[in-house]
């Protein structure tokens, strides 16, 4: 069971106070979610694990079949364990508390975002296997598009290893690291997965 399971549903995590965030709190949580989603799909973030995960279990994800249900259960456990570890690192790197992250999850669930956003569905799926299996297939399908190439110029003041936020032509926000040997003004290439048409 994930430690994030304590945020399942609407039980008394707030000690009897209203669970509805104020407007400033909701704006903060929306910003956290946008940052998390950029990290989740970025090759410099969780995206590299996601790509490896799909590649390694390609046969299992070719089509959802009931005879693989035991395998899917095991994959859900493995995926959730790895995602939880990566989330802990993401929180620590940004100085964000688990409570803030829990509030972000609660807000997404209260809005029903898992129905329209596969990344949020996968995230909330740490708590719910059936939601995870639907979302992980939707996420895989949306990621099975051509790979794009983006040229990024190293900004002045940055050195190798530092991260820079870039926007792809289809509107995705990526967090990429300046590669070894790159100097300000020089360009380097970044590969990314193009969004499915109509997304």
């Amino acid at each position: 069971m994930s430690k994030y399971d304590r945020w399942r549903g609407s039980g008394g995590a707030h000690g009897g106070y209203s669970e509805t965030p104020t407007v400033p709190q909701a704006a903060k949580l929306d910003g956290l979610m946008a940052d998390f989603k950029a990290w989740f799909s970025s090759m410099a973030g969780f995206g590299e694990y996601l790509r490896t995960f799909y590649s390694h279990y390609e046969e299992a994800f070719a089509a959802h079949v009931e005879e693989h249900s035991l395998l899917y259960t095991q994959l859900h456990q493995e995926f959730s364990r790895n995602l939880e570890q990566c989330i802990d690192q993401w929180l620590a790197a940004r100085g964000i508390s688990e409570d803030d992250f829990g509030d972000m999850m609660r807000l997404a669930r209260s809005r029903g975002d898992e129905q329209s956003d596969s990344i949020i569905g996968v995230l909330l799926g740490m708590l719910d296997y059936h939601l995870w299996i639907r979302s992980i297939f939707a996420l895989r399908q949306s990621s099975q598009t051509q790979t794009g190439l983006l040229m990024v110029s190293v900004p002045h003041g940055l050195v190798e290893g530092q991260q820079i936020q870039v926007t792809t032509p289809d509107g995705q926000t990526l967090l990429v690291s300046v590669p070894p040997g790159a100097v300000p003004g020089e360009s380097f290439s970044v590969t990314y997965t193009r969004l499915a048409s109509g997304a």
Side-chain angles (χ1 to χ4, degrees):
M1 177 183 291
S2 168
K3 67 181 176 181
Y4 296 112
D5 193 58
R6 65 187 164 123
W7 291 301
R8 180 191 297 276
S10 57
H14 289 270
Y17 293 100
S18 170
E19 292 186 20
T20 305
T22 63
V23 172
Q25 288 170 329
K28 174 187 174 186
L29 297 175
D30 285 339
L32 285 179
M33 182 57 81
D35 186 22
F36 178 84
K37 287 166 65 175
W39 166 84
F40 187 95
S41 48
S42 166
M43 288 302 110
F46 191 70
E48 181 60 32
Y49 170 78
L50 193 61
R51 188 175 66 176
T52 303
F53 179 81
Y54 282 134
S55 175
H56 189 69
Y57 297 111
E58 186 172 358
E59 282 187 32
F61 287 108
H64 182 206
V65 291
E66 285 304 315
E67 63 210 48
H68 289 331
S69 57
L70 177 59
L71 174 61
Y72 292 143
T73 302
Q74 293 168 340
L75 293 182
H76 175 241
Q77 292 169 350
E78 175 191 327
F79 185 92
S80 297
R81 206 170 32 248
N82 281 293
L83 179 55
E84 186 175 302
Q85 290 172 357
C86 289
I87 287 172
D88 287 344
Q89 294 168 3
W90 182 81
L91 293 174
R94 286 157 181 78
I96 299 168
S97 73
E98 288 182 8
D99 287 335
D100 286 335
F101 192 80
D103 289 341
M104 181 181 83
M105 290 175 67
R106 269 193 297 272
L107 182 61
R109 174 157 272 174
S110 71
R111 289 174 171 171
D113 287 351
E114 70 268 24
Q115 300 302 322
S116 60
D117 191 311
S118 54
I119 291 177
I120 294 175
V122 167
L123 175 62
L124 294 173
M126 289 194 304
L127 315 180
D128 181 342
Y129 167 78
H130 296 291
L131 175 58
W132 179 82
I133 199 71
R134 285 196 313 268
S135 301
I136 202 76
F137 273 91
L139 191 61
R140 179 182 185 270
Q141 184 176 16
S142 71
S143 69
Q144 285 185 314
T145 55
Q146 293 180 333
T147 298
L149 187 66
L150 180 68
M151 296 305 295
V152 178
S153 179
V154 180
H156 290 284
L158 289 189
V159 296
E160 67 179 60
Q162 288 186 303
Q163 293 188 319
I164 175 176
Q165 188 170 298
V166 297
T167 304
T168 65
D170 58 5
Q172 296 180 77
T173 301
L174 307 177
L175 197 60
V176 299
S177 296
V178 176
V183 296
E186 192 173 271
S187 293
F188 63 96
S189 61
V190 174
T191 57
Y192 67 97
T193 302
R194 292 190 180 120
L195 292 175
S197 59

